[in-house]
Amino acid sequence: MGTNTEAVAASSTTLTAAVGNDAEKLQWIVSNQVEGVQMREMFWDLSKDVDVDVLACSEAVKLLRTMTEEEKIQCCKASLFLLSNKNDPRYIHYERILSSIFMAACNEGVLPLSDCCELLILCTNFTLTTPMDSRKFEYMQKNLHLIDYKGLRNILKLLVVERMQEVPSTITHHHRHMLLPVENMLLTLIDRQLNLLPCIFTITELHRVSSNSRAFLLPRVAKKFNDMFISFRPLTEMVTIIGRSWLYPIAAHISFPVSTPSWKLEVTTTRLHQRAHLPYKSELFAPQSFLLYTLLRQPRGKDTISYVMRQNTNLTPQRLQCDELLHMIILEAMSEMEKTDTRLDDPANQYQWMNITQTVTFSLLHGNASFSRLLKILYESLSETVYRKGRDELMWVILQYVAVYIDRVSNEEMVRVAEIYNLLYSDEQTWSGADTDPLLFVRFLVPAAIWIHFYKKLGNSQTDVLPKPSESLWRQIQFLQERTADSDPNIQNVADHNAVLAAVANAYSNDMPNFQKLVLTAIDVFLDGSPEEINTVWHLPYGIISYSKKTPLPLSLIDSLTFHARNHLFQLCLLKLTAMLSIQQTQKLPSPATIDTLVRLAVTTEFEYGVKQVLALLSSTLVSVNKSSNLGPAQQDRSRDLLFVLCDILSYRFISYPFPVGSKVNLMLWCYTALGNSQVQMNIALCSALEQVMLRYWMWNSPQEMFYLSNAFL
């Protein structure tokens, strides 16, 4: 190994030395020709028609013939060192001799034509401080058709993107005349009728330069470029962004190629990564803020954000920051609230705000927005506006983040929330209504819930950080605090008076002792029955018994809970199902109310915090069924019973839920694998249930998803 390394190093050193010696010889030939030209012209026989550069070119070509292809290019590029000083009086002669040598070598077949053209461009002074040798560009223009498209692309890139940037920003008529050969050559190179270079390569290279590129100083070239932009592939604009909220988000549309990274946006700039196949409009080269805005505004659009962002695998994964977009969406909604006379709890208003709440919460929880920055720009904007009708919904959005990440909320952010509250709630707040209307009641007490979370974190230092609350806010805080002192009958009456329960749940979701005592206990009684009703059972076929409660939690109550409180209830219901797999299990199955409540909580939250956990339980259940031969008969039956329950949920409860494609593929593969299990095959009803899940999830797919599903089963 050491011998090979030494041999390679020695070979490399020899090559460098050889090229260095040959480059010095070539430079000597050029220098000798330039410095001795005056003496030779004095004694030259003028009766003979002989070019004084012919001998130098012949000698240089003879030298180049002795080299390999790699050595030739290195030697020629090294000779360009003679042109490093543009103020040298001999510069013009050096350029002329080098150009003659390169063209002579190309004519003799010693240099490839594409390399010759690149060398001719490299030995040109584009600062226009010396006369330009027009011969070289006429030579290139005449031979462009002999070069392949790769060589032409390199020539275009070298000339337009790199070398022509040296041209002065202001040129005179004399300079314009000097650049005429360059202009003629460029027009031939990019002529669409000649089709020497595919148009897509031309446009790709041209977009590497800015709009103030020096190439646009040439009027005919600028017009040719403009015509090319206008005429290039107009049919590529077949799919446009739409804002109709009930259609699929653009990134989930069948015509959007998820697997093609060229359509994706750069995370840091939100620009399209590769634009060669797009219609060449100026807006497509700007940050695609409106595209992201459209996605965020659409239902389920936030779920497709990951599809449109392109991650650089060589760097630490970056996250999109959309603080300004969220700020704009919130202000637009508050502005619309000022224009309408409909109530806050009107379905049209609530649909709008529920989507905004989920989008903002999703962005904050996934690091796509900064809570402190969002508060800052909201405060600055609200200070200059009169938007007040949507203030309860804005505080509801803030509560979602505070409830989950109260430990991360800094003192400065708490003060900023207090400033926003004082700005929006400058008037006296009084409640007029009944606690049977949970939505309005909960929204009224949202600021108090936020302050209780703050007090829980700050403890005794609350007065040092937060400003003193207003009298109306303090009364609301006291109202919620009093609910923890005694057992309020309105909290226990979940069926009819659940507004107080929702308000308390939102305020104490981070105080688990109080949350357990006030909320979870009441919900548990509602789902399974009180101690007096606990012995009342519901007899099902095959000797199965369950708790008798059939009415799930009302949707109005679920919608009035924060994401954090809702997750606590979801875990309570999920635990009742998971207990069926434990060794110490009860004989009773969870009540139908528990199952339906679990489904309602799962489908009204984000996939990874709801439905994904149900799918994880399905996976665990299938594992338990596979191992059931080693278990007792009772546990075998309970595993199969739970599998029946989960199949029923998947087939008839999650009907319209937008499963991610990957999770849907895993679900179908799990069911397909389970059908091959001997324990399942002996139970015809269970086989039928699993087949029903597979068939339904196979049919409920867009054509785009079918591509992935078909590949998964190949």
Side-chain angles (χ1 to χ4, degrees), residues 13 26 93 156 181 254 270 338 413 450 452 473 475 614 631:
T13 304
L26 183 59
H93 301 292
L156 180 66
I254 179 59
T270 66
E338 298 292 329
E413 291 168 347
I450 295 176
I452 288 177
L473 177 58
R475 287 196 299 270
V614 177
L631 303 175

Side-chain angles (χ1 to χ4, degrees), residues 231-243:
S231 63
F232 178 62
R233 298 183 68 184
L235 293 180
T236 57
E237 202 174 2
M238 293 175 63
V239 179
T240 57
I241 298 171
I242 53 178

Side-chain angles (χ1 to χ4, degrees), residues 82-101:
L82 295 170
L83 302 175
S84 58
N85 183 10
K86 294 182 174 59
N87 296 323
D88 191 337
R90 299 169 295 179
Y91 182 91
I92 301 175
H93 301 292
Y94 284 142
E95 180 184 349
R96 176 176 54 82
I97 295 298
L98 285 172
S99 300
S100 299
I101 290 174

Side-chain angles (χ1 to χ4, degrees), residues 26 60-67 72 75-76 101 105 110-111:
L26 183 59
V61 170
K62 182 179 179 181
L63 175 64
L64 292 173
R65 286 185 189 276
T66 62
M67 307 179 195
K72 292 175 187 177
C75 182
C76 291
I101 290 174
V110 177
L111 277 179

